[in-house]
Amino acid sequence: DTGVSQDPRHKITKRGQNVTFRCDPISEHNRLYWYRQTLGQGPEFLTYFQNEAQLEKSRLLSDRFSAERPKGSFSTLEIQRTEQGDSAMYLCASSSGTVANEQFFGPGTRLTVL
Amino acid sequence: EDKVVQSPLSLVVHEGDTVTLNCSYEVTNFRSLLWYKQEKKAPTFLFMLTSSGIEKKSGRLSSILDKKELFSILNITATQTGDSAVYLCAETNFGNEKLTFGTGTRLTIIP
């Protein structure tokens, strides 16, 4: 499978715990994006990497959220001290950086905070 | 701030009908408009539009962009139950790399 992959697919955690999600982009894509989607809404942008550099961060990305892409390949998104409001689908996308910026999405990680 | 508005929010039609989904946008320094289909998982890419008046077509689905009036439509002809999904519209601009999505149109096809 050469698409975007994410792990885990589902995560249930208790409020206050830390969680970490992983995204593996399409291999030749140098751009990687994280989005969050809640029920009935379209995905909302969180952050963007070009290779290993984090170039954009949304104001939605509070201090409890951190993302890395250490070698310019896979990325991790960590949420510290989770809150019930963090419950959502976390989507990763990648693109090759063409002018029109066509992004391809992974299957997502569904986070439930109890 | 960029804005994308989709209409209708939901639509129920019978199998075989033709549907038109609408997407209007407000964006500074427009780059592209994209359509995605989302079933019970991640969005699946359908079309990317950058030029006005040029129709993109894939099977029973087609889409066109009007950059003067700032909208796009997605047409689905001879609908099938497998077309039931949420259809998302998103735009990009040259100022950043993110996609700005609308809330989507939930399409339900009744057999």
Side-chain angles (χ1 to χ4, degrees):
Chain A
D1 190 326
T2 57
V4 179
S5 62
Q6 292 186 245
D7 183 69
R9 297 290 302 277
H10 303 274
K11 179 71 177 179
I12 300 174
T13 191
K14 292 183 179 179
R15 189 174 53 186
Q17 298 294 305
N18 299 342
V19 295
T20 299
F21 309 141
R22 176 180 170 125
C23 171
D24 287 87
I26 293 171
S27 59
E28 62 268 26
H29 285 181
N30 63 353
R31 300 185 178 192
L32 186 147
Y33 312 80
W34 286 98
Y35 291 83
R36 180 172 69 187
Q37 186 176 25
T38 54
L39 197 63
Q41 300 296 316
E44 294 175 294
F45 171 78
L46 292 178
T47 190
Y48 150 67
F49 291 85
Q50 183 169 324
N51 299 312
E52 65 274 9
Q54 188 174 20
L55 299 183
E56 284 184 61
K57 289 172 65 173
S58 164
R59 55 185 165 78
L60 293 175
L61 212 66
S62 76
D63 290 345
R64 298 184 296 104
F65 288 69
S66 62
E68 294 182 342
R69 194 182 183 198
K71 297 182 180 179
S73 56
F74 74 91
S75 175
T76 58
L77 177 68
E78 181 183 17
I79 309 174
Q80 296 182 324
R81 305 181 303 283
T82 52
E83 301 173 357
Q84 288 185 325
D86 297 331
S87 295
M89 174 77 87
Y90 289 84
L91 295 165
C92 176
S94 70
S95 77
S96 60
T98 61
V99 173
N101 195 18
E102 182 178 291
Q103 296 180 23
F104 295 91
F105 284 82
T109 294
R110 183 169 293 284
L111 173 66
T112 302
V113 182
L114 302 175
Chain B
E1 189 166 320
D2 294 356
K3 188 176 178 182
V4 176
V5 177
Q6 292 187 245
S7 65
L9 292 181
S10 66
L11 186 59
V12 181
V13 300
H14 288 95
E15 198 167 21
D17 288 351
T18 293
V19 298
T20 298
L21 310 183
N22 304 293
C23 174
S24 64
Y25 61 91
E26 297 174 17
V27 58
T28 302
N29 207 9
F30 173 85
R31 175 162 54 176
S32 63
L33 187 135
L34 298 91
W35 284 96
Y36 288 85
K37 177 183 181 181
Q38 187 172 31
E39 297 169 272
K40 293 181 180 177
K41 47 188 165 79
T44 303
F45 173 78
L46 293 175
F47 297 112
M48 180 179 61
L49 304 155
T50 57
S51 301
S52 262
I54 298 176
E55 185 182 51
K56 292 282 185 89
K57 197 170 173 66
S58 176
R60 296 176 295 101
L61 278 67
S62 63
S63 183
I64 197 161
L65 176 68
D66 185 327
K67 291 170 73 172
K68 181 180 178 184
E69 300 297 329
L70 307 183
F71 77 90
S72 174
I73 59 172
L74 175 68
N75 280 319
I76 309 175
T77 59
T79 51
Q80 303 171 356
T81 54
D83 296 327
S84 294
V86 173
Y87 289 84
L88 294 164
C89 172
E91 60 82 16
T92 69
N93 66 55
F94 283 104
N96 55 57
E97 294 296 321
K98 67 178 183 179
L99 292 173
T100 299
F101 283 88
T103 54
T105 293
R106 178 173 296 280
L107 176 64
T108 303
I109 309 298
I110 300 172

